[in-house]
Amino acid sequence: MLKVTLLGLGLFVGSLFAQDNLNKISSTTLGGYSASLSSQNKLVSNTTSQVLVSVYNKGKMLKAIDLNLTLYTPDNKTIEFKHIKSVDNQYLANMKFLQNGKYKYIVKFSTQIGGVSHFLRGEFKI
């Protein structure tokens, strides 16, 4: 029993450190909902980065949602990521940032199929 408890505690502490190692890119809040974009590595132009999108309602992470992300580049081109799949309750998108500058984004999600869509807007610089 002690081994199982120690193993569980080790996994919990490990997951906390893994979350702390993420680089927060941006976060936004509206009406009790919030979205956060983060990455394992610092974002650099002309590279592909895996971006983690997290959505919360009153501080609780939403896990079973239909998530879309629209990214607006500094030269006003639009890149859409539709129906981002959840992998271990994390919504990941591979993004290639072609240039430095200010990027804007819209996170669109619904908590039920055919339910009300929520929109959160934000921006970040590379």
Side-chain angles (χ1 to χ4, degrees):
M1 181 68 174
L2 180 61
K3 289 182 182 180
V4 173
T5 304
L6 289 176
L7 177 61
L9 181 62
L11 291 173
F12 174 72
V13 171
S15 69
L16 288 177
F17 282 114
Q19 291 173 0
D20 287 343
N21 288 335
L22 292 175
N23 293 315
K24 190 173 191 179
I25 300 168
S26 177
S27 65
T28 183
T29 303
L30 180 65
Y33 288 99
S34 63
S36 143
L37 274 63
S38 52
S39 176
Q40 287 285 345
N41 304 317
K42 182 179 177 189
L43 299 182
V44 179
S45 63
N46 289 321
T47 61
T48 300
S49 297
Q50 196 172 55
V51 175
L52 168 67
V53 182
S54 302
V55 180
Y56 301 88
N57 181 13
K58 299 177 184 171
K60 182 180 176 188
M61 181 184 279
L62 300 178
K63 296 180 181 177
I65 59 176
D66 181 24
L67 182 71
N68 298 305
L69 176 69
T70 304
L71 186 68
Y72 301 95
T73 63
D75 58 354
N76 291 324
K77 292 183 181 175
T78 303
I79 305 169
E80 292 189 14
F81 300 89
K82 294 190 174 203
H83 309 292
I84 299 173
K85 300 291 182 197
S86 171
V87 177
D88 295 329
N89 294 322
Q90 297 183 353
Y91 296 88
L92 301 171
N94 290 320
M95 299 182 186
K96 184 164 187 174
F97 301 99
L98 297 176
Q99 60 193 32
N100 290 327
K102 184 163 79 172
Y103 287 79
K104 295 181 180 183
Y105 65 90
I106 298 174
V107 175
K108 176 185 173 186
F109 63 95
S110 60
T111 56
Q112 297 176 348
I113 296 175
V116 175
S117 293
H118 302 277
F119 298 87
L120 295 169
R121 302 169 192 273
E123 60 185 40
F124 59 91
K125 283 187 179 181
I126 295 182

